Amino acid sequence: MNTSSESQGAPVLVCYVPGLDARRLEATTTPYLHELRRHLPVINIRTLPSTELVPTIVSGTLPHQHRVWQVSLRPEFRVGAPRTPLPRVTDAVTSTAQLVHHFFDRGYDLAVIPRRRRRRFDLHRFKYTRRLESEGAMQDFAGYPSIFGLLGDEAHYEFTKDFDALPALLQRLPTEGRALEFLEMYALDLFQHWHLDDEPAMREALMRTDGFVRELHARCNTRGVRFVLLVDHGQERVVGTVPLVQTLRRSGIPESEFSYFVELASARLWFHTER
């Protein structure tokens, strides 16, 4: 959704609100967003099947290139995992040790991945919270420059996962002197992870989002800043599970013939034999 001034070369503010589901935009709950969709240009985008889309959005590279939230199979394991004696006996011990490590060190990403499996992969991880650590965190991904790296001081990235932080953001955005500002308003997406089936709570969260977009858009119009509202996915209620690992184990195919890595909402498999 692009709502902009008519001037050429105007600075741009992108308000990225993941999880803002178009099916939930109603005149009673989100009146401003509802009217924007009716009266201003809307461009549909095709979303990649990935759990992390920001690096692709800002760098123009695909997940296997920027490698955020990715793993790659090490060359020595591409012909299959060697058999080990008592392969699962030590899993409980190593998983417990990793959980303890993760409890005291939040930078440790892969708790409860047994060592016998984890050693097969090179890990390329980038938690979204690390975007807050320094300006340089968003400059490039695996050597691919992002829009922030290309524009330098003319571009700025903001991130929030807290509804209570929105009033403070409205006090200072948009900022003068920048060609591009990119605000990732993650509060709604994070809230929905836990409250999607709570209708009163969801209405309140959507109303707060609607009010924030209204105020931010108004400030952009006042300052001659081109405003873009970017939404790349909604959210569905989880109504079932797929026991993927158990299904693989029951398939009768020896584990030495394939490797797999399962994480949040995605699974990758490497097969080492023709069958």
Side-chain angles (χ1 to χ4, degrees):
M1 183 184 299
N2 186 344
T3 66
S4 63
S5 66
E6 296 299 325
S7 60
Q8 291 292 325
V12 176
L13 187 147
V14 177
C15 182
Y16 171 51
V17 189
L20 181 58
D21 200 318
R23 296 169 297 181
R24 288 180 170 267
L25 301 186
E26 301 173 352
T28 54
T29 306
T30 55
Y32 193 73
L33 290 166
H34 181 73
E35 286 301 304
L36 287 184
R37 282 181 57 81
R38 288 183 59 202
H39 298 297
L40 293 170
V42 177
I43 300 171
N44 292 323
I45 60 175
R46 184 177 179 182
T47 303
L48 293 171
S50 173
T51 57
E52 172 57 280
L53 293 164
V54 171
T56 293
I57 291 170
V58 301
S59 71
T61 55
L62 295 173
H64 73 279
Q65 296 171 310
H66 62 63
R67 292 186 166 188
V68 174
W69 289 99
Q70 290 284 311
V71 298
S72 56
L73 193 65
R74 289 179 174 172
E76 61 267 33
F77 290 96
R78 289 177 185 169
V79 293
R83 290 184 175 275
T84 56
L86 303 175
R88 295 189 178 89
V89 170
T90 60
D91 283 1
V93 175
T94 58
S95 295
T96 301
Q98 289 176 76
L99 279 171
V100 172
H101 186 169
H102 180 70
F103 182 81
F104 290 104
D105 177 11
R106 294 299 179 175
Y108 183 75
D109 291 340
L110 291 172
V112 265
I113 303 295
R115 169 64 184 169
R116 67 184 178 83
R117 292 194 59 251
R118 191 159 61 95
R119 65 194 177 95
R120 304 179 195 177
F121 305 103
D122 285 319
L123 311 175
H124 318 288
R125 311 282 290 187
F126 185 83
K127 280 187 174 180
Y128 67 84
T129 51
R130 292 184 189 154
R131 300 173 193 165
L132 304 175
E133 294 176 359
S134 70
E135 284 287 333
M138 299 293 288
Q139 300 294 307
D140 71 86
F141 299 93
Y144 294 96
S146 72
I147 189 70
F148 306 107
L150 294 172
L151 291 179
D153 292 339
E154 293 186 44
H156 180 65
Y157 171 82
E158 288 269 1
F159 175 89
T160 182
K161 60 177 180 176
D162 187 354
F163 278 111
D164 292 336
L166 299 183
L169 287 173
L170 286 173
Q171 292 298 313
R172 55 187 176 82
L173 292 179
T175 308
E176 286 195 38
R178 288 200 169 107
L180 171 68
E181 289 189 285
F182 189 103
L183 168 63
E184 182 175 358
M185 206 288 272
Y186 185 60
L188 178 66
D189 198 16
L190 182 62
F191 185 83
Q192 288 180 141
H193 290 172
W194 310 104
H195 302 284
L196 198 60
D197 59 348
D198 185 340
E199 288 298 331
M202 281 300 305
R203 279 197 299 273
E204 181 181 355
L206 287 165
M207 290 172 66
R208 295 181 74 176
T209 302
D210 186 73
F212 173 73
V213 171
R214 182 184 66 248
E215 294 298 324
L216 185 59
H217 185 200
R219 288 177 63 85
C220 286
N221 283 340
T222 299
R223 301 188 182 191
V225 174
R226 203 177 289 262
F227 179 79
V228 177
L229 179 62
L230 174 62
V231 180
D232 54 15
H233 69 84
Q235 277 202 22
E236 289 282 357
R237 290 182 176 88
V238 176
V239 295
T241 60
V242 178
L244 180 60
V245 174
Q246 292 90 330
T247 302
L248 288 169
R249 289 173 178 166
R250 289 196 298 264
S251 68
I253 302 174
E255 195 170 321
S256 60
E257 294 190 25
F258 66 93
S259 299
Y260 66 91
F261 192 91
V262 181
E263 59 179 336
L264 175 67
S266 67
R268 297 184 66 193
L269 296 99
W270 295 260
F271 297 99
H272 310 305
T273 63
E274 284 299 318
R275 70 170 180 147

